[in-house]
Amino acid sequence: MLGFEVSERTVLRWMRRAPRNPEPANRWATFLSNHREAIVAMAFFTVPTLTFGVFYCFFVIAHDRRRILHWEITRHPSSAWVTQQLREAFPYDSSRTI
C-alpha cells in the first residue's frame, strides 16, 4: 500500500528470524479449555438457491460437546426475527446459577 515491492522470499527470511513466544497461544488454549462449557459460536450466513433466491441461516453451536443448540432459516430476516432466535437459543429457564 506504500508502493514498496517486497518478495515472498524476503518475508519468509524475516519470519524465520522473528522470535516466537508460545506463551500467548498457551494462555488462549488454557482459557478455552477452562471455559468451553460456557462458550457458544453463532453464525449468520446466506445460502443461494437454484432459483436465484437467498435463504438466511442462523446457527448456534455449543463448544463443550459441539452440540447444535439452535438453527433456523428464513427468506426475510429482520431484527425481530434475530431477537426471537436468540431467545429460543438461550431460554431464560436454561441459565445456570453458580
Side-chain angles (χ1 to χ4, degrees), residues 62-79:
H63 277 266
D64 58 348
R65 298 280 184 169
R66 294 186 181 116
R67 178 174 41 109
I68 297 172
L69 294 178
H70 184 75
W71 63 274
E72 193 64 47
I73 300 171
T74 186
R75 285 187 180 264
H76 307 287
S78 65
S79 60

Side-chain angles (χ1 to χ4, degrees), residues 29-67:
T30 302
F31 173 82
L32 288 177
S33 66
N34 288 339
H35 299 287
R36 68 175 167 248
E37 293 86 16
I39 298 175
V40 298
M42 289 183 268
F44 190 67
F45 56 94
T46 59
V47 176
T49 65
L50 290 174
T51 59
F52 302 104
V54 177
F55 285 136
Y56 298 89
C57 305
F58 181 75
F59 186 79
V60 181
I61 187 170
H63 277 266
D64 58 348
R65 298 280 184 169
R66 294 186 181 116
R67 178 174 41 109

